[in-house]
Amino acid sequence: MSQLLITGGAGFIGSHVCLSLLEGGNNLVVIDDFSNSSHQSLQRVCELSSVKDERRLKVFQGDIRNPKDLQNAFDAIDSAFDAVVHFAGLKAVGESCKSPLRYWDVNVNGTRCLLEVMKNNDCRTIVFSSSATLYGYPDQVPTPESADIRPVNPYGHTKAAVEQLLADMASSEPGWRIACLRYFNPVGAHPSGLIGEDPNGTPNNLFPYISQVAVGRLKELEVFGCDWPTIDGSAVRDYIHVMDLAEGHCEAIDFLNRGKPQLITFNLGTGNGYSVVQVIDAFEKVTGIEIPYRMGLRRIGDVACSVADPSLVAERLGWKTKRSLSDMCRDSWAWQKANPYGYCHH
Ligand code: NAD
Ligand code: UFG
């Protein structure tokens, strides 16, 4: 049992990881400013994990750029945190091109602030949400962790900067335990349909878009590009079920706390790529609902193919994904069907 601080724990990935960590017997303190999430997600996490004892999940509304807010969260428990799991940040690629200052402030300055407060409180273990977006246009697919880091948008630049900052911390003094987890494309939801992804406005990402077409909120899907050098011309991604991702975090925390101080960097993906058209077919098959779509132009900044080489994490942590593309479609749909308008019932 560990005491963990979860930044951004009310968000899509954070809420699922909180559930897995509570089920693993850990006690959690969440700090989130709710700029991109609802208070309801963590209430539902409590329901699902049947946490009756309020001391097992404490929630603080606060901003990671504010040292006072962070210190409040650190003061919530008597001892030091065993680890911080750091999800809080901004993640929309398009928005990052329009507002780079905001992205550098929240993602980089926010993390700098968090590390300072961690150091002051004698906590030197952190799991960081990094991204496959770091690889830009990779030379090698499936892509191993050793591939070049050359992001192509401000969001990716901020993730690369934080990874560099974490490496600098690790070499500045002994004792730091750091895991940079590079997620590929997290999708799906907890199979209960109680928690899931709830984007603001029209979704940018494929799974929420398809789900909103299926539920009747959107008319049709536009497939961005049909001339990519792939199996059917649409772009290929490595979609990973958010519950697999959550379990990967639990393994990474155990591994960090068991071993010697070190910095580890892992891809979290399945190693399998599916095209947009294959995803549409899988979704239609699982749900029995037809998804109207039309072929459109390539989206600026997209790559043809992004697939993880997940062998390093399998070798070091003995962890690999268990859930299929059908599971991802089934669970995304269960969430969307039960919550057509996400956490707020319009
Ligand atoms: P999300 O937006 O659902 O969750 C992020 C959470 O952080 C939200 O609850 C938001 O309110 C909170 N937050 C934002 N700014 C904050 C601040 N200044 N102080 C405190 N809280 C703040 O996003 P997510 O999909 O759950 O992503 C979590 C992390 O994983 C992010 O760092 C993201 O960059 C990274 N990531 C996500 C994906 C993806 O496709 N979803 C892929 C790779 C990496
Ligand atoms: N797509 C469509 N139509 C849509 C939405 C998406 O055809 O309406 C296509 C995209 O062009 C892409 C694929 O579906 O080929 C997946 O797109 P997403 O927007 O769901 O995901 P991305 O691969 O573009 O990027 C996501 C996150 C990034 C993260 C990256 C790698 O949005 O933040 O995965 O982790 F960095």
Side-chain angles (χ1 to χ4, degrees):
M1 194 270 287
S2 299
Q3 306 267 12
L4 306 171
L5 176 66
I6 318 289
T7 76
F12 167 46
I13 300 171
S15 55
H16 290 81
V17 176
C18 282
L19 179 58
S20 291
L21 289 170
L22 285 168
E23 284 172 344
N26 301 288
N27 290 345
L28 312 181
V29 175
V30 167
I31 178 166
D32 200 303
D33 69 356
F34 297 97
S35 56
N36 197 36
S37 52
S38 156
H39 286 267
Q40 277 198 47
S41 65
L42 291 173
Q43 285 161 13
R44 294 193 184 178
V45 165
C46 285
E47 270 175 51
L48 279 169
S49 62
S50 28
V51 166
K52 301 266 171 343
D53 183 348
E54 278 175 12
R55 284 168 303 186
R56 293 211 48 217
L57 175 62
K58 294 182 183 162
V59 182
F60 285 83
Q61 180 153 7
D63 191 316
I64 55 161
R65 291 166 297 178
N66 184 341
K68 286 204 187 99
D69 288 354
L70 284 169
Q71 191 58 50
N72 278 341
F74 274 84
D75 291 340
I77 60 166
D78 299 330
S79 50
F81 285 112
D82 297 298
V84 174
V85 192
H86 179 32
F87 298 104
L90 304 177
K91 62 163 184 175
V93 172
E95 190 184 65
S96 78
C97 299
K98 294 194 187 99
S99 314
L101 286 172
R102 225 179 113 226
Y103 272 68
W104 278 82
D105 188 31
V106 175
N107 293 358
V108 181
N109 182 39
T111 305
R112 194 207 62 78
C113 197
L114 172 66
L115 289 166
E116 190 162 325
V117 177
M118 284 176 65
K119 196 168 143 65
N120 292 342
N121 287 272
D122 257 332
C123 173
R124 287 183 175 73
T125 303
I126 181 168
V127 174
F128 170 61
S129 299
S130 190
S131 171
T133 199
L134 283 182
Y135 298 125
Y137 307 110
D139 294 329
Q140 199 184 334
V141 180
T143 307
E145 291 82 352
S146 55
D148 289 350
I149 304 292
R150 43 180 189 216
V152 294
N153 54 62
Y155 167 66
H157 292 143
T158 66
K159 290 289 176 190
V162 172
E163 283 207 6
Q164 184 61 60
L165 171 57
L166 290 167
D168 290 347
M169 294 307 289
S171 39
S172 68
E173 55 173 348
W176 283 90
R177 292 178 156 82
I178 298 172
C180 294
L181 304 181
R182 296 177 180 163
Y183 313 155
F184 278 67
N185 286 55
V187 299
H190 187 266
S192 64
L194 272 177
I195 56 173
E197 187 169 10
D198 183 16
N200 280 330
T202 307
N204 294 310
N205 300 117
L206 182 64
F207 267 74
Y209 205 106
I210 293 184
S211 306
Q212 291 195 16
V213 170
V215 85
R217 276 176 73 179
L218 296 168
K219 229 173 85 229
E220 65 173 3
L221 173 77
E222 181 178 349
V223 177
F224 297 142
C226 51
D227 56 352
W228 294 104
T230 60
I231 178 172
D232 54 26
S234 63
V236 167
R237 294 290 179 272
D238 184 338
Y239 297 97
I240 173 171
H241 195 295
V242 67
M243 292 310 299
D244 274 329
L245 196 68
E247 289 160 16
H249 283 72
C250 300
E251 296 293 337
I253 295 164
D254 285 351
F255 180 83
L256 276 185
N257 283 331
R258 262 197 327 266
K260 61 178 193 317
Q262 61 184 315
L263 184 151
I264 51 177
T265 302
F266 293 133
N267 284 338
L268 297 188
T270 65
N272 303 314
Y274 292 100
S275 74
V276 176
V277 172
Q278 287 174 325
V279 171
I280 299 169
D281 287 346
F283 195 94
E284 289 182 332
K285 201 172 273 158
V286 167
T287 61
I289 297 170
E290 197 196 323
I291 304 297
Y293 68 91
R294 70 186 157 84
M295 293 300 187
L297 297 174
R298 292 181 180 189
R299 183 169 67 177
I300 292 167
D302 272 359
V303 298
C305 200
S306 163
V307 177
D309 175 345
S311 47
L312 185 67
V313 66
E315 185 191 307
R316 299 288 306 279
L317 302 194
W319 171 86
K320 57 181 177 26
T321 59
K322 296 186 194 129
R323 294 159 180 90
S324 66
L325 180 63
S326 301
D327 296 333
M328 302 179 212
C329 294
R330 185 198 60 217
D331 295 337
S332 286
W333 177 233
W335 154 252
Q336 189 72 60
K337 198 164 95 179
N339 307 273
Y341 288 90
Y343 288 110
C344 54
H345 310 277
H346 288 303

